[in-house]
Amino acid sequence: MKKYLLSITIVAAFYANQANAQDDKNKNNNTVGTEVVNVTSEYQATLNDAFKINDNPLIEDEDINQKKEVKYTIFSVPVASTFAPAKGEAAAVDNDSLANFYNNYALLGYGNFNTIRGELGIVEQIGSKNMYIGGLFKHLSSDGDKNLDGVELENSYSKSNLDFTLGQYNGNNQWSTQFGAMMSKYNWYGTPSDFYVSNFNFAMVDPLQKYGDVHVGASYENYTGAFEKAAVSYKYFWDDYSSKESRFIFAPKFNVELPEQTVHINFEADYLNTQFANNGIDNNQDKYSYLNLSVNPSIKFFDTDYSVELGAGLTYSLGKIKGVEDNALVIYPMVKANFNLVPDIVQAYAGAVGGVKQNSYADLAEENPFAAPSLELRPTQTKFDLYAGMKGKLYHNLSYNVRVNYKTEDDKAMFTINQYDINQPNKQGYQYGNSFGLIYDKVNTLSLFGELNFDFSDKAKIGISGEYNNYSVEDYENAFHLPQGKINLNVLYNFTNQWFANADLGYVGQRYEFGGGTVNDLKLGDYYDLNLTVGYRPTAQWTVFLKGMNLVNENYYRFNQYRVQGLQILGGAMYKFDF
């Protein structure tokens, strides 16, 4: 019997996107736990085939003594890499779906502020038993909080995603294709505080911004021979201010198996072309283009109790900023090591890695939808990221992971509020001191991370994690909008086979906002957020739930000048089904 290793993520909260800026907040509040389990099963198509959740494991090579082949999840889904086995946010609503799994689901919820959440996920086998087709629709919208303290502008928002996929799994390979689209709208509602004491005419501001994209992709994986994998993707992104962006990525991977070593060679071509809106100052549209060409050769030595991968990466970046060439050659390490100190109980790991991150308008707007459509774009170079840690089990139901890492990044992109210029003519809706630009600096980060996960069988699960960050910068006094610490606590408790509750508490530490060079940098206070879900399963297929978010009713600042909604209540139901 072959054994396959999988990292399982503890699901934190169903309502991952909360009102306005709070929808981004939960990305930092998710409790993540990892545990290695052995699973064997036959193939059956599920939503995870169609829409795999991206995850960045600490160690890419969990399987120390064997080549990666087909990896099975507890949902009997073959995948090519470690990922979180959850069907979107739906799995967090219905914990029992982990045990009573259906291929398809529909979810609908409604809450105060006229918040509407809907999801529909369908995947079916077609033709041969190993071919599948799937679709996933997700919608979240809110009319906003009309009584939000210190907010005069419209703060409603909405976001909808529709994705389709077609794929097939065979014994020695698998392939998939994807097509999708996204539409969203937000409002730049976070104006400066002095507007409220100067009788500012808010009626003159139109804060609405709309985003959209279409994206296609394909991937092919081969489990025999030197050719391992190839993935290609294209995204076209635009906004309501005539900004537009194209991004194309092609990434083939090869490996050669030797008796006691494996040689890996990874390539990637990442092309970005962005044209921003008319900035209203000189009536110019700023244009950026970057082509990052990367190669990462390495050789891996492995045995039963260890694996060591030695390699290096090289990226040549050909850029053009507003017509001016910006080329760079970056060399970085790619070294990873894993050691089973006590088999199946204690594992130590360490490494030195690096790379070049393409900062795209689409990614930045996803991270902060209140960004201005006139950003300065340049890649971030991670010269090295050194890490070392240890993970394992303290008891059969208690696992842990501790890690320390130190990394240095050149041209790290950090958000900062754009200052209001009263003398600027023909102002756009984002030019009232209510949108974010970018500051780049060399940032060194020392991080300490630790997590504990308790698993009391089917009765309860508890996960707690914490992270401390110390930043040092070269050109400025502080790092901006980067928290000094994070703490996440998640508790899932099954009272009976039908009743359950899921609580999660997130804490984000102090951050800084750029003072503009003439005044001291502004300290953004820490905040915490408490969410609670209570669910009832009248049948194996139906789950009804009631979720309270931001239960402490704290209108904290997720971003500078952007308060989040207070207490939110959302109720709804989920139906799981097979055709």
Side-chain angles (χ1 to χ4, degrees):
M1 178 181 293
K2 293 184 178 180
K3 295 182 178 180
Y4 301 96
L5 300 175
L6 170 71
S7 285
I8 294 182
T9 296
I10 293 179
V11 181
F14 147 64
Y15 202 79
N17 296 314
Q18 296 185 22
N20 288 320
Q22 192 164 349
D23 62 343
D24 296 303
K25 164 205 47 102
N26 272 353
K27 294 177 184 177
N28 297 307
N29 286 351
N30 288 340
T31 302
V32 177
T34 58
E35 180 178 356
V36 175
V37 296
N38 296 325
V39 184
T40 56
S41 174
E42 294 183 357
Y43 170 78
Q44 181 179 0
T46 71
L47 276 180
N48 282 313
D49 293 278
F51 310 101
K52 299 173 185 175
I53 298 176
N54 291 326
D55 182 47
N56 295 315
L58 297 176
I59 306 174
E60 295 179 357
D61 248 346
E62 300 282 359
D63 51 338
I64 289 179
N65 60 353
Q66 58 179 331
K67 177 187 175 182
K68 283 189 176 182
E69 295 182 352
V70 184
K71 306 293 168 78
Y72 288 89
T73 76
I74 56 175
F75 297 149
S76 306
V77 182
V79 297
S81 60
T82 305
F83 76 106
K87 301 174 79 172
E89 287 75 23
V93 172
D94 186 2
N95 176 59
D96 194 51
S97 64
L98 298 177
N100 302 302
F101 192 73
Y102 291 82
N103 285 342
N104 313 308
Y105 77 95
L107 182 148
L108 183 64
Y110 181 80
N112 59 332
F113 310 121
N114 197 28
T115 300
I116 300 174
R117 177 150 210 151
E119 294 187 25
L120 176 63
I122 295 176
V123 60
E124 286 297 320
Q125 295 177 349
I126 60 174
S128 68
K129 66 178 181 178
N130 289 337
M131 181 174 287
Y132 58 87
I133 187 171
L136 180 62
F137 171 76
K138 298 171 64 176
H139 172 81
L140 175 65
S141 62
S142 171
D143 282 347
D145 186 351
K146 307 303 180 183
N147 301 312
L148 194 58
D149 184 32
V151 174
E152 293 290 337
L153 297 177
E154 177 68 40
N155 56 90
S156 63
Y157 78 98
S158 70
K159 185 175 183 179
S160 300
N161 298 78
L162 181 61
D163 289 278
F164 299 96
T165 190
L166 174 68
Q168 184 176 30
Y169 162 73
N170 300 300
N172 294 325
N173 59 70
Q174 68 170 335
W175 60 267
S176 66
T177 59
Q178 301 85 32
F179 168 79
M182 181 277 296
M183 294 295 296
S184 65
K185 67 175 184 179
Y186 295 87
N187 287 277
W188 289 293
Y189 65 87
T191 50
S193 58
D194 55 7
F195 278 19
Y196 299 91
V197 296
S198 60
N199 297 318
F200 181 81
N201 181 14
F202 289 95
M204 63 190 295
V205 182
D206 179 9
L208 181 63
Q209 170 68 300
K210 297 179 181 178
Y211 300 110
D213 79 46
V214 292
H215 47 272
V216 296
S219 65
Y220 176 82
E221 281 188 70
N222 184 46
Y223 303 120
T224 61
F227 174 69
E228 181 179 359
K229 181 179 181 180
V232 60
S233 64
Y234 173 78
K235 176 187 285 189
Y236 181 75
F237 179 81
W238 69 89
D239 68 14
D240 206 33
Y241 282 76
S242 300
S243 301
K244 53 188 178 181
E245 179 177 83
S246 294
R247 188 175 184 182
F248 175 82
I249 301 175
F250 176 60
K253 298 183 178 182
F254 302 85
N255 67 63
V256 178
E257 293 291 334
L258 303 177
E260 295 183 356
Q261 299 89 28
T262 303
V263 177
H264 297 277
I265 305 177
N266 301 331
F267 298 92
E268 183 178 83
D270 186 345
Y271 175 72
L272 180 76
N273 185 286
T274 308
Q275 177 177 298
F276 280 112
N278 186 321
N279 57 33
I281 299 175
D282 53 14
N283 295 319
N284 287 326
Q285 292 182 313
D286 296 333
K287 299 180 180 179
Y288 302 86
S289 65
Y290 283 96
L291 173 60
N292 295 338
L293 301 173
S294 302
V295 58
N296 306 130
S298 65
I299 182 169
K300 182 192 299 181
F301 303 88
F302 56 87
D303 203 342
T304 304
D305 295 325
Y306 77 91
S307 71
V308 176
E309 184 172 356
L310 305 176
L314 184 150
T315 297
Y316 186 63
S317 180
L318 297 92
K320 184 171 288 189
I321 301 177
K322 304 176 185 178
V324 179
E325 289 190 0
D326 180 33
N327 301 333
L329 177 65
V330 184
I331 301 175
Y332 43 90
M334 295 295 289
V335 178
K336 304 173 187 177
N338 306 281
F339 303 95
N340 273 339
L341 302 182
V342 181
D344 300 324
I345 297 180
V346 180
Q347 183 182 94
Y349 58 90
V353 296
V356 177
K357 175 186 177 183
Q358 191 85 277
N359 290 310
S360 70
Y361 183 31
D363 290 346
L364 292 166
E366 177 71 20
E367 181 180 354
N368 183 351
F370 313 112
S374 58
L375 303 172
E376 179 182 345
L377 297 182
R378 65 179 83 159
T380 295
Q381 303 173 7
T382 300
K383 294 300 181 65
F384 60 83
D385 183 354
L386 309 176
Y387 64 88
M390 185 176 297
K391 65 179 182 178
K393 290 187 175 183
L394 297 175
Y395 196 60
H396 68 91
N397 62 349
L398 174 58
S399 61
Y400 70 92
N401 185 14
V402 292
R403 182 184 75 246
V404 58
N405 75 290
Y406 180 81
K407 64 180 176 180
T408 179
E409 298 170 282
D410 288 353
D411 287 333
K412 183 174 179 62
M414 298 175 289
F415 289 109
T416 182
I417 204 77
N418 289 318
Q419 299 299 310
Y420 174 62
D421 183 0
I422 193 173
N423 297 316
Q424 181 177 334
N426 304 319
K427 292 184 182 65
Q428 305 293 325
Y430 61 91
Q431 294 175 325
Y432 291 88
N434 56 340
S435 65
F436 288 87
L438 293 175
I439 282 181
Y440 290 89
D441 199 356
K442 180 178 181 179
V443 179
N444 299 319
T445 307
L446 173 65
S447 296
L448 303 175
F449 172 82
E451 66 177 350
L452 287 173
N453 292 285
F454 303 83
D455 188 350
F456 300 97
S457 188
D458 296 330
K459 193 67 176 179
K461 291 180 173 62
I462 302 174
I464 183 171
S465 66
E467 177 183 334
Y468 169 76
N469 299 302
N470 181 271
Y471 306 102
S472 62
V473 296
E474 186 173 86
D475 297 327
Y476 296 90
E477 186 175 351
N478 296 291
F480 305 118
H481 278 96
L482 300 177
Q484 292 183 348
K486 298 179 184 178
I487 298 176
N488 296 287
L489 172 65
N490 176 254
V491 179
L492 172 65
Y493 190 81
N494 292 301
F495 300 99
T496 68
N497 290 334
Q498 293 179 301
W499 286 96
F500 65 92
N502 187 359
D504 65 275
L505 174 66
Y507 168 83
V508 174
Q510 179 179 281
R511 298 143 294 148
Y512 285 91
E513 167 63 87
F514 181 48
T518 58
V519 297
N520 292 332
D521 294 338
L522 174 67
K523 289 184 179 181
L524 303 178
D526 54 358
Y527 65 85
Y528 61 95
D529 193 285
L530 176 63
N531 304 315
L532 175 65
T533 300
V534 177
Y536 174 69
R537 293 182 286 263
T539 69
Q541 292 180 268
W542 280 98
T543 299
V544 294
F545 62 90
L546 183 67
K547 184 173 183 67
M549 295 150 287
N550 198 359
L551 292 178
V552 295
N553 196 25
E554 183 184 9
N555 296 125
Y556 57 80
Y557 290 96
R558 171 64 182 91
F559 296 101
N560 183 28
Q561 300 180 184
Y562 278 84
R563 290 184 178 273
V564 302
Q565 292 176 357
L567 176 65
Q568 301 155 56
I569 304 294
L570 183 137
M574 181 173 73
Y575 178 67
K576 301 175 294 182
F577 61 96
D578 286 329
F579 288 115

